[in-house]
Amino acid sequence: MDTSQKTSSESKVAKLRGIAGIARDARETLRKSSEKRDSVHALGGCAQVALLLTLARIDPDGDGELEDSDLDSAQRLVDSSKDQLLNTGVVAALILSIMYPMAYAEDTVLLDIHAILDSDKPWRTWEVEDVADVTSFLADFTCVTLSVLSVILSSVMYTQMSFWMPSLEAQLWYIGMS
């Protein structure tokens, strides 16, 4: 066996150990939390439990020896996470494209809200239309703000997983930490 084949084989073994270590850590976290009273809450909710179960399933027998089918399972997890981030960004962008024009559609609404907020009337004496206008204004801008935030976060996370994480092990670590 020449040096390049030996180095390639050693790097594959190291990669498999790293991925098996992630699965072992997930299994250990699940085991420790099962001893607690409110274990799902302690782990961070149902989504975190599902993620840990999926990571633990990468090495089903827990022996640290991974087969190609185990690696395929890990790659499917990474791919589905990337797809979820991409879908989240697309849906948030669609919502943004609908809500942004509506939020700035009529200057009269903004002028009415400005007049309402600048008036000396206490908020308890506002008319129903005034309350509806302010509530609609706040809901529109909350939706726009959350959509922008979702687009930014999903884009950053997708970029980090796709371009900054060089290996399957790094991508699994990122999924486990995020």
Side-chain angles (χ1 to χ4, degrees), residues 5-172:
Q5 288 176 340
K6 186 176 180 181
T7 305
S8 173
S9 175
E10 289 173 356
S11 70
K12 183 176 181 181
V13 168
K15 179 174 98 171
L16 292 177
R17 280 192 196 134
I19 294 171
I22 290 171
R24 183 188 63 245
D25 292 344
R27 188 176 288 104
E28 184 65 21
T29 302
L30 287 167
R31 187 191 62 74
K32 286 179 182 177
S33 71
S34 67
E35 299 165 357
K36 297 178 182 175
R37 178 183 164 130
D38 192 11
S39 59
V40 173
H41 187 291
L43 284 173
C46 293
Q48 187 66 21
V49 171
L51 174 64
L52 288 171
L53 287 170
T54 304
L55 288 173
R57 230 183 0 204
I58 291 172
D59 185 15
D61 50 7
D63 63 355
E65 300 293 325
L66 298 180
E67 300 171 7
D68 288 338
S69 63
D70 300 331
L71 289 178
D72 291 341
S73 155
Q75 187 61 50
R76 279 193 308 275
L77 173 64
V78 168
D79 291 342
S80 68
S81 297
K82 286 181 185 179
D83 290 343
Q84 180 65 33
L85 288 170
L86 191 60
N87 290 339
T88 300
V90 167
V91 169
L94 287 172
I95 291 171
L96 182 62
S97 71
I98 293 169
M99 293 305 297
Y100 186 80
M102 288 174 56
Y104 291 101
E106 296 183 27
D107 292 334
T108 58
V109 173
L110 292 176
L111 292 174
D112 290 344
I113 291 171
H114 191 270
I116 293 167
L117 295 176
D118 281 346
S119 69
D120 292 335
K121 294 185 338 184
W123 65 271
R124 292 184 192 118
T125 62
W126 289 355
E127 295 179 21
V128 173
E129 289 114 12
D130 295 342
V131 173
D133 284 345
V134 171
T135 303
S136 173
F137 175 79
L138 292 175
D140 286 347
F141 279 94
T142 300
C143 185
V144 167
T145 302
L146 292 176
S147 294
V148 168
L149 186 63
S150 294
V151 167
I152 291 170
L153 290 177
S154 63
S155 299
V156 167
M157 291 177 75
Y158 184 84
T159 301
Q160 289 172 343
M161 277 191 67
S162 296
F163 305 115
W164 296 2
M165 301 294 152
S167 66
L168 182 61
E169 179 185 356
Q171 291 171 338
L172 288 171

